[in-house]
């Protein structure tokens, strides 16, 4: 089968589109014929060298977010069958999704809603699971609360806006002005153009801050939380000293596969309450271009690779 493989860490030039051995599922696993794999920042961060920190063994097939059809079912599986259309978030400890076929454990995938095409299904899992685990599991966001979401037009932030609205929260999103209409179309109640004004000058007393930016944005965010509020971040560990100083809680989310949460996310997508925005679709052979686009930070929606 064809796959995108890295045999050393480095820039986009280390990405190789080549023939590799087709994997075989074990008990509790399925072999997915990949139709589409999404590109995420973690992919090029792993390629750059983070993979070594994570203990990945070279060669590595990148890609953790896929949509496709089940080709083969391993033993001890009852809820999936060959031909099922699925999507999910898979582990790179086996083989990733930048390939014609990928292995998935049954707790990493769910059935694809019929109203979603493969491109859009492939773009859901990472952003939605990260957001769910950040604002609902860690942040305990409830109906009627107020949340500030940084990077609200991005792949993770845009999912967070929609999940927060589905929960019944009041949502404030930050992004550049060109994305205001897009962020409001997702359901945001207020929008802050970070290029024109400081969010802390116009936002006060929020229950939860979801940080997808880091740096000074994260540090300034402590000021807008009410006492007992919660700052949750997807990008860098928050300051314990700052949390203590402002009388709030803080934590960093590390997204994990969760079939139960993914099934709830799929239901929201099926009802049209959770939408993705796929900006660029490229063939697997153009993976270098896909990574360069992702690294530029100038894309609003998701970049996906299609077989």
């Amino acid at each position: 089968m064809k796959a995108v493989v890295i045999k050393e860490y480095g820039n986009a030039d280390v990405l190789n589109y080549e023939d590799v051995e087709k994997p075989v599922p074990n008990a509790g696993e399925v072999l997915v014929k990949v139709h589409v794999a999404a590109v995420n920042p973690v992919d090029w961060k792993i390629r750059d060298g983070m993979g070594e920190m994570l203990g990945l063994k070279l060669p590595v097939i990148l890609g953790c977010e896929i949509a496709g059809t089940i080709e083969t079912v391993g033993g001890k599986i009852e809820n999936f069958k060959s031909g099922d259309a699925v999507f999910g978030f898979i582990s790179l400890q086996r083989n990733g999704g930048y390939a014609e076929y990928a292995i998935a454990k049954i707790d990493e995938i769910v059935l694809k809603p019929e109203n979603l095409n493969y491109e859009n299904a492939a773009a859901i899992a990472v952003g939605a699971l990260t957001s769910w685990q950040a604002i609902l599991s860690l942040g305990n966001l409830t109906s009627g609360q107020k949340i500030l979401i940084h990077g609200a037009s991005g792949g993770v932030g845009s999912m967070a806006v929609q999940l927060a609205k589905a929960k019944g929260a009041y949502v404030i999103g930050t992004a550049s002005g060109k994305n205001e209409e897009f962020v409001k179309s997702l359901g945001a109640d207020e929008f802050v153009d970070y290029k024109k004004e400081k969010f802390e000058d116009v936002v006060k007393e929020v229950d939860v801050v979801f940080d997808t930016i880091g740096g000074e944005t994260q540090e300034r965010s402590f000021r807008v939380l009410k006492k007992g509020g919660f700052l949750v971040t997807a990008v860098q560990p928050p300051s314990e000293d700052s949390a203590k100083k402002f009388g709030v809680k803080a934590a960093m989310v590390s997204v994990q596969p969760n079939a139960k949460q993914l099934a709830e996310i799929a239901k929201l997508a099926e009802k049209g309450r959770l939408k993705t925005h796929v900006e660029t679709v490229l063939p697997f052979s153009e993976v270098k271009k896909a990574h360069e686009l992702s690294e530029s930070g100038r894309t609003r929606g998701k970049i996906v690779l299609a077989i």
Side-chain angles (χ1 to χ4, degrees), residues 35-85:
H35 296 303
V36 181
V39 175
N40 290 285
V42 70
D43 297 343
W44 49 263
K45 289 176 183 178
I46 288 172
R47 185 210 71 208
D48 269 349
M50 191 173 78
E52 191 169 10
M53 295 169 52
L54 296 175
L56 298 179
K57 295 182 179 180
L58 295 170
V60 172
I61 298 175
L62 296 171
C64 58
E65 195 171 22
I66 63 168
T69 52
I70 293 179
E71 182 84 1
T72 308
V73 176
K76 300 181 181 180
I77 293 179
E78 299 178 354
N79 52 336
F80 292 108
K81 64 183 185 302
S82 178
D84 281 346

Side-chain angles (χ1 to χ4, degrees), residues 132 162-163 166 263-274:
W132 186 294
Q162 295 175 86
L163 288 176
E264 291 299 317
I265 287 164
K267 287 179 184 178
L268 288 172
E270 190 170 29
K271 294 175 182 176
R273 300 186 68 186
L274 190 66

Side-chain angles (χ1 to χ4, degrees):
M1 70 171 187
K2 289 287 188 181
V4 177
V5 183
I6 60 167
K7 299 173 183 176
E8 61 181 316
Y9 295 114
N11 61 26
D13 289 335
V14 304
L15 296 165
N16 301 290
Y17 187 55
E18 59 186 49
D19 291 308
V20 299
E21 189 175 346
K22 184 177 176 181
V24 177
N26 295 315
E29 298 177 342
V30 298
L31 179 67
V32 178
K33 180 176 177 57
V34 178
H35 296 303
V36 181
V39 175
N40 290 285
V42 70
D43 297 343
W44 49 263
K45 289 176 183 178
I46 288 172
R47 185 210 71 208
D48 269 349
M50 191 173 78
E52 191 169 10
M53 295 169 52
L54 296 175
L56 298 179
K57 295 182 179 180
L58 295 170
V60 172
I61 298 175
L62 296 171
C64 58
E65 195 171 22
I66 63 168
T69 52
I70 293 179
E71 182 84 1
T72 308
V73 176
K76 300 181 181 180
I77 293 179
E78 299 178 354
N79 52 336
F80 292 108
K81 64 183 185 302
S82 178
D84 281 346
V86 295
F87 74 99
F89 170 52
I90 64 173
S91 171
L92 296 184
Q93 297 293 344
R94 296 182 299 279
N95 72 303
Y98 288 10
E100 287 185 271
Y101 296 91
I103 296 291
K105 288 186 176 294
I106 57 172
D107 62 350
E108 297 174 340
I109 56 170
V110 294
L111 295 174
K112 179 183 74 67
E114 291 185 4
N115 62 322
L116 287 187
N117 61 25
Y118 287 104
E119 286 83 1
N120 283 286
I124 290 180
V126 169
L129 281 174
T130 301
S131 298
W132 186 294
Q133 292 168 20
I135 67 176
L136 302 182
S137 300
L138 287 173
N140 293 310
L141 185 71
T142 58
S143 178
Q145 287 191 321
K146 186 185 291 187
I147 182 171
L148 173 65
I149 298 170
H150 290 303
S153 63
V156 175
S158 62
M159 288 292 177
V161 170
Q162 295 175 86
L163 288 176
K165 286 306 297 181
K167 193 67 176 177
Y170 185 91
V171 179
I172 306 167
T174 72
S176 63
K178 66 179 181 179
N179 291 312
E180 180 173 0
E181 184 178 342
F182 172 64
V183 173
K184 285 185 174 178
S185 76
L186 299 175
D189 298 285
E190 289 184 40
F191 178 85
V192 178
D193 181 350
Y194 73 88
K195 290 185 175 181
K196 290 186 177 180
E197 57 188 344
K198 292 184 176 181
F199 64 86
E200 64 267 34
D201 290 342
V202 292
V203 178
K204 306 292 181 185
E205 295 288 300
V206 302
D207 298 281
V208 179
V209 171
F210 183 29
D211 165 42
T212 69
I213 306 298
E216 65 159 350
T217 296
Q218 182 186 107
E219 192 59 32
R220 287 158 49 207
S221 294
F222 283 102
R223 306 176 198 172
V224 306
L225 284 162
K226 61 173 59 174
K227 291 289 184 182
F230 204 113
L231 183 148
V232 60
T233 175
V235 287
Q236 69 183 60
S239 167
E240 293 181 10
D241 290 339
S242 293
K244 186 176 181 180
K245 174 184 175 182
F246 288 97
V248 300
K249 300 175 183 177
M252 181 173 177
V253 66
S254 178
V255 63
Q256 301 295 323
N258 188 306
K260 185 176 180 181
Q261 292 172 356
L262 199 56
E264 291 299 317
I265 287 164
K267 287 179 184 178
L268 288 172
E270 190 170 29
K271 294 175 182 176
R273 300 186 68 186
L274 190 66
K275 300 177 181 178
T276 61
H277 177 68
V278 176
E279 184 170 273
T280 307
V281 181
L282 293 170
F284 271 65
S285 58
E286 293 187 31
V287 63
K288 292 182 182 180
K289 180 179 178 180
H291 272 221
E292 287 164 357
L293 283 172
S294 180
E295 288 181 80
S296 75
R298 293 192 294 269
T299 57
R300 183 171 75 181
K302 294 280 284 201
I303 300 164
V304 301
L305 300 169
I307 291 289

